[in-house]
Amino acid sequence: EVQLVQSGGVVVQPGGSLRLSCAVSGFTFDDYAMYWVRQAPGKGLEWVSLTSWDGGRKDYSDSVKGRFTISRDNNKNSLYLQMNSLKPEDTALYYCARGRRGELLRPSFDYWGQGTLVTVSS
Amino acid sequence: DIQMTQSPSSVSASLGDTVTITCRASQGIGSWLAWYQLTPGQAPKLLIYRASTLQSGVPSRFSGSGSGTDFTLTINNLQPEDFVTYYCQQADTIPYTFGRGTQLQIK
């Protein structure tokens, strides 16, 4: 069974940092590109970042570029999102998601984690 | 960025009805479109990819069509578990963008 298990929610002050994690099981992790998608309260979905199977290709939305860093550890079957210089507008439910195999740059997301609520507030 | 205009934002229907949700891209995206179902408290679920391909395990009452800029998601014979929120997503160009969602409400 494919599972993506995310770390718990957290409150962080503006300007602070946080690392989200997503532990996967049930599939060969290094066969797949992985993604982060977020949903602000009462809002729609927003793609945040992608990493290729080996971490060689990474991309970010303009809203997080320069502040967030995606990474993966294929030995630990884990995906990460390092979030720095956090702003109140980064408050959202953050999902990790798997891209369908072979669709790195034209992905549909076939499995999702349960989400991690990040609240940026003083 | 490619803008995805999804409509309606909400729709009311009865059990057994058929509903259609539309998504229009601000530029051509070929068939690089996916549809998702979001149920509160659950992980999002992929329903349709490449505009019309049903994801494994998804009931056949869901179907997708379209190419270029205009796409539709059709749900036949509505069941109680279908009354949640649906999103389209273009997969053609970074940044991947989503529609604003359609909330399906029971009449």
Side-chain angles (χ1 to χ4, degrees):
Chain A
E1 179 190 8
V2 172
Q3 289 191 319
L4 288 72
V5 178
Q6 299 186 228
S7 48
V10 66
V11 179
V12 60
Q13 293 189 338
S17 297
L18 180 64
R19 189 177 84 155
L20 304 185
S21 63
C22 173
V24 313
S25 60
F27 65 98
T28 303
F29 185 53
D30 56 11
D31 277 350
Y32 291 85
M34 296 294 295
Y35 304 79
W36 290 96
V37 177
R38 69 184 180 183
Q39 185 174 28
K43 302 293 186 181
L45 296 167
E46 178 189 13
W47 169 77
V48 172
S49 184
L50 73 83
T51 177
S52 59
W53 69 273
D54 62 350
R57 169 77 188 250
K58 299 177 183 180
D59 274 291
Y60 303 89
S61 67
D62 284 348
S63 60
V64 308
K65 196 173 296 181
R67 299 188 298 122
F68 290 11
T69 302
I70 191 171
S71 63
R72 63 190 296 160
D73 185 335
N74 287 345
N75 293 319
K76 295 183 177 180
N77 288 347
S78 292
L79 175 73
Y80 306 100
L81 186 67
Q82 178 67 41
M83 309 164 68
N84 297 331
S85 302
L86 282 160
K87 305 174 182 180
E89 52 264 40
D90 294 318
T91 295
L93 185 62
Y94 284 76
Y95 294 102
C96 59
R98 188 183 86 168
R100 289 188 65 256
R101 192 169 181 175
E103 289 184 346
L104 167 62
L105 293 180
R106 283 178 162 165
S108 45
F109 310 120
D110 60 356
Y111 286 93
W112 299 61
Q114 83 279 13
T116 295
L117 182 60
V118 174
T119 303
V120 183
S121 174
S122 54
Chain B
D1 298 1
I2 297 176
Q3 306 304 314
M4 302 301 294
T5 302
Q6 186 175 340
S7 61
S9 57
S10 66
V11 58
S12 296
S14 301
L15 293 173
D17 282 355
T18 294
V19 296
T20 297
I21 299 168
T22 65
C23 205
R24 174 166 289 177
S26 60
Q27 64 189 70
I29 59 171
S31 296
W32 298 105
L33 185 103
W35 290 97
Y36 300 89
Q37 179 188 65
L38 267 71
T39 302
Q42 296 184 19
K45 180 180 181 180
L46 174 65
L47 301 174
I48 302 284
Y49 62 93
R50 296 196 193 177
S52 61
T53 304
L54 193 67
Q55 171 69 358
S56 175
V58 174
S60 59
R61 63 179 182 274
F62 292 89
S63 63
S65 65
S67 67
T69 59
D70 294 314
F71 302 87
T72 60
L73 172 70
T74 300
I75 314 171
N76 295 309
N77 186 25
L78 284 167
Q79 298 299 299
E81 61 269 27
D82 299 337
F83 291 89
V84 290
T85 305
Y86 297 86
Y87 288 88
C88 62
Q89 172 237 331
Q90 65 84 12
D92 182 66
T93 305
I94 291 172
Y96 310 116
T97 46
F98 293 82
R100 293 192 172 188
T102 295
Q103 185 176 18
L104 181 50
Q105 298 175 318
I106 194 161
K107 190 181 291 184

